Amino acid sequence: MTTETSAGIHELAHVLEGELERFAAPGMAVGVVQNGQVVLARGFGLRDVAAELPTTEQTLFAIGSTTKAFTATLLAALVGDGLLEWDRPVREYLPRLRLHDPVATELITARDLLCHRSGLPRHDFVWYANPELSRREMVEQRLRHLEPNRTFREVWQYNNLMYLTAGYLAGELLGSSWEQGIRERLLTPLGMTDTCFSPQDARRAADWSRGYRERDGVREEMPPKDFPVCGPAGSIYSSVSDLARWVQANLNGGHLDGREVIAPAALRALHVPAMALGEEPRLWPEKFGIGYGLGWALESYRGHRLVHHGGNIDGYSAKVVLAPDAAAGVIVLVDHHATTFPDAACYLAVDELLGLPPLPWGERMVELQQSVRAGAKEATRRQRAGAADTPHAHPEAAYLGEFHHPGYGTLHVTAGADGLTARLGVLDLGMRHRHFETWDLDLATVETPLTLTFATDSEGEVSSLAVPFEPSVSPIIFRRLPGQELSDPERLATFTGDYLMGQLRARVRLDHDHLTLDVASSQAVTLEPTGEHAFAVRRQPGVRVQFVVTDSRVTEMEVHPGGGVYIRQVPDI
């Protein structure tokens, strides 16, 4: 490193210290690579505010979606091994994969998974609320129930679930797991000995950072988010010391310390555009997107090509930038939630590395961050101010229960100390009544509250609820589950018997774990419980069977609409 370069890097470090104060972030770590050498690796500020522990180049942070480049590189290695072809349908490797769109199901490839062109929007609450699901269950059972908003390969739209699928694919091809593949094929050969996959593993190390956020103008610590199911999209914890080796290998054709770790051909496939980003607003004239590669975004910055990716997860923000033509790279890790600080710090560093006059990225990015947060707060204020002062239609007890969606899982509505409260998977969702049948849901990681709206069936019973967990499609409908007792064969047996309406005979029978009904010896239909004494007829929308109970005994069966009332003839069987 020349004296001039050393002076420039020293001045950069001084500038970054000032930016740390501007963004009011507790701490950060920065790594800079130039001409194959690490010219800066150091921490700024604190990794633990209460204990006043300093951040260092060895401090472990959650790196969020910068994990995606590791997943894409692992798949590229499998292509090099002959275990995978980029453009061969994934169903040929994972026959039980099924998406909502049958065309996408049959044609989607590993390349499609990694460049965000499945047609599926984010649907992030599926994995965020259900972090302990297995990847197998997600891929084989849940994805098919998630509605797309665009046709297959129509547009680029970011999707973590497709990286989950890519990680699962890699594990299946290796006969192990995504984690083991990343460890054996990348981390160990690169000497990234401190890098790990969960907050629990990170906190076993001597040097790790807590995560923080700002809420109502007050800094507070955020609980760490562990989400093993979606690990391939963003679960890695690392330090700038470790990530500098990753950057060196990416800039040096996959070679590090004189040996090939990543095949050059594999890297080339990742660093070139695979999907156009479409028209996007240009906030600043110096930069614009070129496209998305595989695990990396591609950008033109002041006439130079950048390969980069950002990352955000509860309490942490990150960015990794490569300037391949200048053999330079930058890593910025910050212990603050959803901040534009990594972007500002990276562009300031890139200006120095490319020998360009520095632009006011700190001012620009903090202004952007403040305007976005102010807009979200104003939207929330208006949302709440516009709510009509109207009561809900039912007593609160009528809304209690379990409501299910086959992709998102079961949402529980229970009675809390201050009214209703909801829980989806591991997420506690505070409920604040807005008007009529609509409540606002409070979630710490969402600036503007989501809404939850109950629906009532024709009999006046609360039958479902809807929440716009994915804003680009219709609200997600959760249908009310019957009580657990209606899955008990002994309880179901109390409804069985013969029922008469004049000369017309109907029979209700127990078939293992469900009831069947046949009228006048016609083909039996399956009854699916919808309420305490109510059942729907499978594959006959709108047809409902209601049993009448008198003195704890089933006496009648009503078939709606217009099917008549049948009198029970036979006692319990």
Side-chain angles (χ1 to χ4, degrees):
M1 185 167 62
T2 66
T3 303
E4 182 179 351
T5 300
S6 178
I9 294 299
H10 179 77
E11 175 59 24
L12 173 65
H14 178 70
V15 170
L16 294 177
E17 285 181 332
E19 296 299 338
L20 182 70
E21 184 174 349
R22 184 200 300 272
F23 283 86
M28 71 168 176
V30 177
V32 176
V33 174
Q34 188 173 35
N35 296 321
Q37 302 299 313
V38 179
V39 296
L40 177 66
R42 61 163 287 192
F44 301 79
L46 301 175
R47 63 182 176 88
D48 187 323
V49 173
E52 297 185 344
L53 297 177
T55 304
T56 76
E57 73 278 9
Q58 303 290 341
T59 300
L60 293 175
F61 294 76
I63 70 169
S65 287
T66 61
T67 297
K68 288 181 170 66
F70 288 86
T71 299
T73 305
L74 176 59
L75 262 67
L78 299 181
V79 171
D81 292 346
L83 296 176
L84 176 69
E85 294 179 22
W86 282 126
D87 299 310
R88 185 175 178 180
V90 174
R91 283 262 285 185
E92 296 187 24
Y93 306 101
L94 301 177
R96 296 179 63 84
L97 167 70
R98 187 175 302 169
L99 303 176
H100 192 283
D101 177 2
V103 174
T105 297
E106 294 301 327
L107 297 181
I108 196 165
T109 67
R111 194 187 305 273
D112 296 319
L113 296 178
L114 297 179
C115 72
H116 301 295
R117 62 186 185 194
S118 67
L120 195 68
R122 295 182 72 126
H123 284 289
D124 277 335
F125 277 96
V126 175
W127 62 265
Y128 192 81
N130 302 286
E132 297 299 330
L133 284 178
S134 70
R135 290 173 199 146
R136 179 186 295 275
E137 179 178 349
M138 192 71 79
V139 170
E140 296 183 358
Q141 300 178 32
R142 299 286 187 114
L143 291 181
R144 67 186 68 182
H145 300 291
L146 304 180
E147 181 184 355
N149 67 331
R150 307 301 284 266
T151 57
F152 177 55
R153 291 180 183 159
E154 178 186 357
V155 297
W156 179 90
Q157 54 183 2
Y158 200 77
N159 189 280
N160 288 304
L161 291 167
M162 294 301 97
Y163 269 78
L164 178 159
T165 305
Y168 176 63
L169 170 63
E172 290 296 289
L173 293 176
L174 288 167
S176 55
S177 67
W178 168 80
E179 288 85 352
Q180 188 172 336
I182 293 290
R183 177 75 64 193
E184 293 178 354
R185 299 299 297 267
L186 298 176
L187 302 185
T188 298
L190 287 169
M192 298 176 65
T193 55
D194 294 330
T195 300
C196 56
F197 301 101
S198 73
Q200 293 84 1
D201 288 342
R203 293 184 176 208
R204 293 188 189 102
D207 193 347
W208 55 273
S209 179
R210 298 184 184 275
Y212 299 90
R213 67 180 170 199
E214 179 185 317
R215 198 172 194 191
D216 298 325
V218 178
R219 178 192 292 162
E220 62 183 19
E221 185 178 344
M222 281 191 89
K225 181 67 177 178
D226 189 17
F227 50 99
V229 65
C230 209
S235 72
I236 285 179
Y237 279 70
S238 193
S239 65
V240 296
S241 180
D242 266 13
L243 288 170
R245 300 182 65 78
W246 165 245
V247 167
Q248 285 175 303
N250 272 272
L251 291 172
N252 194 34
H255 291 79
L256 186 66
D257 298 335
R259 59 188 293 256
E260 183 181 288
V261 178
I262 307 165
L267 281 184
R268 284 194 294 273
L270 309 182
H271 293 175
V272 298
M275 187 64 183
L277 296 178
E279 190 172 348
E280 59 178 11
R282 289 187 65 176
L283 299 178
W284 301 287
E286 299 86 6
K287 59 188 285 296
F288 61 90
I290 298 172
Y292 195 89
L294 304 181
W296 294 96
L298 308 169
E299 177 178 288
S300 175
Y301 177 71
R302 304 178 76 175
H304 297 266
R305 179 173 64 103
L306 299 185
V307 179
H308 66 93
H309 213 291
N312 285 282
I313 194 63
D314 297 25
Y316 304 90
S317 302
K319 195 173 184 75
V320 177
V321 177
L322 310 176
D325 300 330
V330 186
I331 310 119
V332 176
L333 308 178
V334 180
D335 54 4
H336 198 280
H337 181 69
T339 176
T340 56
F341 188 15
D343 298 274
C346 279
Y347 286 124
L348 288 168
V350 168
D351 284 345
E352 170 62 33
L353 292 170
L354 298 179
L356 300 171
L359 294 174
W361 284 112
E363 296 174 22
R364 290 177 172 186
M365 289 295 178
V366 83
E367 181 181 355
L368 174 63
Q369 178 174 294
Q370 289 171 349
S371 63
V372 168
R373 290 178 179 174
K377 287 181 180 179
E378 177 62 15
T380 300
R381 186 194 68 77
R382 294 188 181 190
Q383 186 182 72
R384 288 173 175 168
D389 186 16
T390 52
H392 41 79
H394 304 271
E396 284 193 346
Y399 302 102
L400 307 182
E402 297 181 337
F403 299 80
H404 186 72
H405 181 275
Y408 279 74
T410 300
L411 192 151
H412 304 260
V413 179
T414 57
D418 300 316
L420 299 180
T421 185
R423 185 175 180 85
L424 177 65
V426 300
L427 295 182
D428 289 315
L429 307 167
M431 295 177 63
R432 181 203 305 255
H433 185 248
R434 184 195 291 189
H435 54 212
F436 299 109
E437 299 298 87
T438 297
W439 276 253
D440 288 332
L441 296 178
D442 290 323
L443 184 63
T445 54
V446 178
E447 292 282 352
T448 304
L450 300 171
T451 58
L452 181 155
T453 302
F454 290 98
T456 303
D457 64 18
S458 60
E459 300 302 311
E461 300 290 336
V462 176
S463 57
S464 65
L465 61 83
V467 183
F469 281 127
E470 173 46 59
S472 67
V473 298
S474 300
I476 309 301
I477 305 285
F478 293 77
R479 304 201 179 276
R480 186 170 211 145
L481 293 174
Q484 291 294 322
E485 68 275 6
L486 289 182
S487 62
D488 179 4
E490 288 188 15
R491 176 74 175 98
L492 292 174
T494 64
F495 299 101
T496 61
D498 284 10
Y499 295 77
L500 286 180
M501 183 174 66
Q503 299 301 311
L504 193 62
R505 182 180 297 274
R507 288 191 171 90
V508 178
R509 296 288 182 263
L510 178 64
D511 185 357
H512 301 292
D513 59 354
H514 64 273
L515 295 177
T516 64
L517 167 67
D518 73 79
V519 178
S521 300
S522 62
Q523 184 175 0
V525 295
T526 297
L527 301 184
E528 298 177 332
T530 59
E532 186 177 3
H533 305 130
F535 294 77
V537 177
R538 182 181 294 175
R539 298 191 182 92
Q540 294 187 30
V543 180
R544 192 168 56 83
V545 175
Q546 178 78 42
F547 291 96
V548 177
V549 177
T550 306
D551 296 329
S552 301
R553 180 175 174 271
V554 178
T555 57
E556 296 176 337
M557 178 180 69
E558 303 170 357
V559 179
H560 301 281
V565 177
Y566 293 76
I567 308 300
R568 193 176 194 193
Q569 301 297 299
V570 181
D572 294 351
I573 296 176

